[in-house]
Amino acid sequence: MKINNKYYKGIWRDEKNGEINIIDQRKLPFEFVIEKITTVDECVFAIKEMIVRGAPLIGVTAAWGMYLATIEAKQNDNFDEHLKKSVKKLKSSRPTAVDLFKAIDKQIVEISKCKNPEEKIKIAEQIAREISDETVAFCKKIGEYGFEIIKKISESKNGEAVNILTHCNAGWLATVDYGTATAPIYLAHDKGIKVHVWVDETRPRNQGASLTAFELGEHGVPYSVIADNTGGHLMQHKMVDLVIVGTDRTTRTGDVANKIGTYLKALAAFDNNIPFYVAAPSSSIDFKIKNGLTEIPIEKRNEDEVKYISGLHENKIKKILLTPQNSKAVNYSFDVTPARFVTALITERGICKANEKGILELFQENK
C-alpha cells in the first residue's frame, strides 16, 4: 500500500542498518512519523501504547521483538533467563490478539533448536521475516476470496456501487500489507468495481475515522465516515450491502472477538438480513478454545481513552477532555460476536461457515 504514492509496509527492517521501523499510528492522519524499535522494551511500549495495533501487525511486531530479545540476551550473562524475561514482557503487552502469542511461541520453538547465541539470533531474524511474509500472503488471499463476494453483489446491482460497512481499522496499517477486511475492497476497486465504504469512527480511539479513512483516501476508494451509532439506521434503509470486519481472536467454533462495537453491528446486520463477514487469517484463529464469551480475555484499557479525544487544532495534535473532569469511565477494548451472527469467515484458504465443522474443513491439521 502507498502513502503519498510511496510504498510502505506496516513494519519493516531497514536492510542498510538493520533497524526495525514502524509507523506511529497514533499520529495519523495528521502526521506521518516513522519510529525505530531497537530494544524489547521499545517493542513492548509500541504494542501497549498502540503505536502499532491490529492483530496481525501485533504478531509481526512481537516476532521482531523476539529477534531483538536474542540480541539483548547475547549481551547478558544468562542468555536463556534473559530471553524468558523478554518473552514475559512481550506476552503481557496486549492480551486479546492471539497473533501475538502464536508469533512468540513459534519463535521460542525455533530458537530452542539452536545451539549458540549467533544461531539463535539468525533463526529469530529468519522467523520474523517468515511471519511477516506469511501475514502479507494471507491478506492477499483473503482479498482474492472476498473479492468474489463483492463482485457477485455488484453484478446483482447491475454495476451500481456496492456499499460496504466496516468497523475499526482492519487495513494494511493493522497488518503489514493489504489488510484483512479491506483487502477485498482494495482489489474490487482496483478491478473497476464501484464500491463505497461506510467507515465507523470506532470510539474511543477512532481508528476508523483516522486510520481506515486515511488508507482508503490514499488509495482513492470512495468512503464516508459515520458515527458508530449510524450503522443500524443505514441497514434499516437498505444503504448497506454487506459488512466486513477483522478479528483479533476467533475460536475454533466461530465466535469472533473484535474491536468493541462489532457485536452491535452484527446484531443490526442479522436483524436486517445483511451478510456479516469476518476476514480471519488463520493466525488470528485460536484453535485451542471453543467458547469466545468465557475463554477470550477482553482487554480493559485506561479510562482516559474514553474521557479524552485527540484531534488537530491550530495545526497541532491536541488532547481534548470530553467529560466532566471527575467522571468515571469504563474502557473495554473488544467484544465477542457469537458465531450464529456471522455469515461466514473469509480466510486465506477460502470462505467457510463460522462453525467448528466449517473451520476444520479448511484447517484439518488442527482437528
Side-chain angles (χ1 to χ4, degrees):
M1 290 296 152
K2 295 181 179 179
I3 298 175
N4 294 325
N5 288 318
K6 183 177 179 180
Y7 177 75
Y8 289 94
K9 288 184 176 181
I11 185 170
W12 68 97
R13 183 174 184 269
D14 191 313
E15 298 305 325
K16 293 181 180 178
N17 55 33
E19 294 176 335
I20 311 301
N21 293 291
I22 57 173
I23 298 168
D24 190 340
Q25 298 187 30
R26 301 169 304 173
K27 296 177 180 176
L28 290 172
F30 309 115
E31 295 178 9
F32 179 64
V33 177
I34 296 173
E35 298 284 356
K36 301 183 188 306
I37 298 176
T38 59
T39 68
V40 172
D41 286 342
E42 288 177 354
C43 183
V44 171
F45 181 82
I47 296 171
K48 269 190 175 181
E49 297 302 314
M50 295 176 70
I51 298 173
V52 295
R53 25 71 52 207
L57 183 59
I58 288 173
V60 175
T61 304
W64 281 115
M66 286 294 292
Y67 161 67
L68 295 173
T70 58
I71 294 175
E72 291 180 5
K74 183 186 176 184
Q75 300 164 355
N76 195 278
D77 291 337
N78 190 323
F79 187 102
D80 291 338
E81 186 61 30
H82 186 84
L83 193 65
K84 285 180 182 178
K85 289 179 181 178
S86 295
V87 167
K88 187 175 181 180
K89 287 180 183 179
L90 287 164
K91 284 192 172 183
S92 70
S93 57
R94 299 287 303 271
T96 303
V98 73
D99 301 61
L100 179 145
F101 301 96
K102 284 187 175 183
I104 294 171
D105 289 343
K106 183 173 182 179
Q107 283 280 33
I108 292 170
V109 169
E110 296 303 322
I111 290 169
S112 67
K113 296 176 182 177
C114 300
K115 297 178 181 179
N116 58 62
E118 288 75 17
E119 287 182 9
K120 292 177 188 289
I121 293 170
K122 185 176 180 180
I123 195 65
E125 179 187 348
Q126 178 185 322
I127 296 302
R129 289 183 185 277
E130 287 178 2
I131 291 173
S132 180
D133 291 344
E134 181 181 69
T135 297
V136 174
F138 284 179
C139 289
K140 188 172 186 294
K141 292 301 294 184
I142 285 172
E144 292 169 0
Y145 286 116
F147 164 76
E148 296 299 330
I149 297 170
I150 298 174
K151 181 183 176 183
K152 286 181 181 178
I153 294 174
S154 173
E155 290 170 350
S156 72
K157 296 185 69 175
N158 296 316
E160 291 183 21
V162 179
N163 289 296
I164 304 161
L165 187 144
T166 190
H167 189 67
C168 195
N169 172 256
W172 73 267
L173 286 165
T175 57
V176 176
D177 205 353
Y178 298 104
T180 54
T182 58
I185 298 170
Y186 287 131
L187 185 57
H189 172 77
D190 291 348
K191 286 182 174 288
I193 292 177
K194 292 181 181 179
V195 294
H196 169 264
V197 185
W198 297 111
V199 179
D200 278 353
E201 60 183 346
T202 324
R203 285 281 293 144
R205 296 280 301 214
N206 290 332
Q207 297 99 321
S210 58
L211 303 178
T212 301
F214 173 75
E215 278 193 32
L216 295 173
E218 289 291 312
H219 202 76
V221 178
Y223 71 91
S224 301
V225 176
I226 57 173
D228 286 346
N229 292 330
T230 305
H233 170 79
L234 296 174
M235 293 184 210
Q236 285 178 325
H237 291 273
K238 312 300 180 186
M239 299 170 72
V240 178
D241 295 304
L242 76 159
V243 181
I244 310 178
V245 300
T247 175
D248 285 82
R249 189 184 300 220
T250 294
T251 69
R252 67 187 285 131
T253 57
D255 294 338
V256 175
N258 194 50
K259 184 57 61 181
I260 194 78
T262 302
Y263 173 49
L264 297 180
K265 294 302 183 297
L267 289 177
F270 185 82
D271 189 52
N272 289 280
N273 198 32
I274 293 168
F276 181 93
Y277 290 95
V278 176
S282 58
S283 60
S284 299
I285 301 175
D286 190 338
F287 293 98
K288 297 178 181 179
I289 62 175
K290 291 188 174 184
N291 191 320
L293 289 174
T294 61
E295 296 183 86
I296 296 177
I298 299 299
E299 181 181 7
K300 196 173 178 182
R301 293 181 62 83
N302 193 301
E303 66 177 14
D304 281 357
E305 292 182 352
V306 174
K307 294 175 63 175
Y308 290 83
I309 195 167
S310 294
L312 193 66
H313 179 66
E314 295 179 345
N315 290 320
K316 291 183 179 179
I317 299 175
K318 293 192 175 180
K319 192 176 178 181
I320 307 295
L321 179 66
L322 296 173
T323 66
Q325 185 71 50
N326 297 322
S327 288
K328 295 292 182 183
V330 179
N331 185 13
Y332 293 100
S333 292
F334 305 92
D335 57 26
V336 175
T337 299
R340 65 184 180 275
F341 297 119
V342 178
T343 303
L345 304 177
I346 310 171
T347 81
E348 75 273 11
R349 294 188 187 178
I351 299 170
C352 67
K353 289 292 184 183
N355 56 40
E356 190 168 17
K357 180 182 178 182
I359 292 170
L360 294 183
E361 281 180 356
L362 289 182
F363 301 96
Q364 295 186 20
E365 69 272 22
N366 291 284
K367 286 184 175 180

